[in-house]
Amino acid sequence: MFKGKVVAFALMLAIATSVYAGDVDDCRSTAGITGCAQMMLTICPAGDFEFIRDACGTGITAYIWVTALDAAGLPIPGIPWTDYWLNACDPAKQLALCSSPLGADSLTGANGTTTFGGRIAAGGCTLTQGIWWAIQGKPLKGPYPTCTSNVCLNIIVKSPDLTGAGGKPDGVINLSDLVPFGGSYNKNLGQAGYNACCDYNDDNKCNLSDFAYFGTHYQHKC
Ligand SMILES: [Ca+2]
Ligand SMILES: [Ca+2]
């Protein structure tokens, strides 16, 4: 009986050790975007808006990449595709992230690298300062060795989830989100009242085509 428990415990330990990918060094690990200098990505809390791979415009294959390194500077392979997090670098524009906001395209490879081309399940809008990316809960910092601030990827994020309780996006698209959208409706870039957060297809106009997107994602939530 006792021996059986020891064997079972040893087996559990062996399994736990074998799936453990190693500790990410948030200072040595890096991230970047490929395909353009600045991505424009529209998201929905239901995770059914734009793919990251389309965020540099039509005909361009875009992705976000990360390279995970440990404290010795060695690559960390096998990091699970769910072990990532992100948010706005602008503290006033925090996104409303769902519990599993995104997945990597694969485990990190032998070089510690993986990519993200899928969709993000979250609400909110951040037009400046970019997005930080975290592995194992640690936002990546740079540049090594000073590591004073988060790496901010040059990505504009928009969503029909514009507001909610306390004036912040809340992970649901409902009637309250229609109020700021209405305030920007039929206005173009440069006009008073125009809000770029309401321009979901990035044509510098908030018009019927954006309203159609709003309608498609209405009542969507985490
Ligand atoms: Ca909302
Ligand atoms: Ca538009």
Side-chain angles (χ1 to χ4, degrees):
M1 185 74 175
F2 176 73
K3 194 175 170 186
K5 278 183 182 167
V6 170
V7 170
F9 179 72
L11 199 64
M12 281 165 59
L13 199 65
I15 291 166
T17 307
S18 66
V19 298
Y20 183 66
D23 269 333
V24 164
D25 186 322
D26 53 352
C27 187
R28 293 174 189 270
S29 301
T30 52
I33 66 177
T34 293
C36 55
Q38 182 180 57
M39 285 184 176
M40 300 182 88
L41 181 69
T42 307
I43 62 174
C44 173
D48 62 353
F49 217 124
E50 189 177 11
F51 284 87
I52 292 168
R53 62 174 176 261
D54 296 327
C56 285
T58 50
I60 301 166
T61 300
Y63 57 89
I64 293 158
W65 57 267
V66 297
T67 298
L69 304 177
D70 65 15
L74 298 171
I76 305 173
I79 293 178
W81 44 83
T82 53
D83 217 357
Y84 302 91
W85 196 253
L86 71 149
N87 215 322
C89 289
D90 182 350
K93 299 292 180 186
Q94 295 301 286
L95 305 175
L97 290 143
C98 303
S99 56
S100 298
L102 81 166
D105 298 334
S106 64
L107 302 177
T108 50
N111 58 358
T113 297
T114 189
T115 60
F116 300 81
R119 301 190 281 199
I120 295 173
C125 177
T126 182
L127 302 173
T128 60
Q129 300 185 34
I131 298 291
W132 54 254
W133 219 259
I135 315 175
Q136 297 175 347
K138 289 177 271 193
L140 303 184
K141 293 184 170 54
Y144 183 82
T146 49
C147 314
T148 46
S149 57
N150 292 343
V151 171
C152 289
L153 304 176
N154 195 354
I155 308 170
I156 288 174
V157 174
K158 304 175 186 182
S159 166
D161 178 18
L162 295 159
T163 190
K168 307 231 179 248
D170 58 355
V172 57
I173 298 159
N174 58 21
L175 203 56
S176 71
D177 299 296
L178 194 57
V179 176
F181 184 86
S184 181
Y185 192 64
N186 269 337
K187 297 191 172 81
N188 300 343
L189 179 67
Q191 286 186 288
Y194 172 76
N195 180 359
C197 292
C198 303
D199 173 26
Y200 308 126
N201 61 349
D202 308 320
D203 63 355
N204 296 325
K205 297 170 186 163
C206 175
N207 60 18
L208 194 60
S209 57
D210 303 296
F211 187 62
Y213 283 116
F214 191 99
T216 299
H217 294 273
Y218 194 66
Q219 302 287 15
H220 283 194
K221 57 188 177 184
C222 284

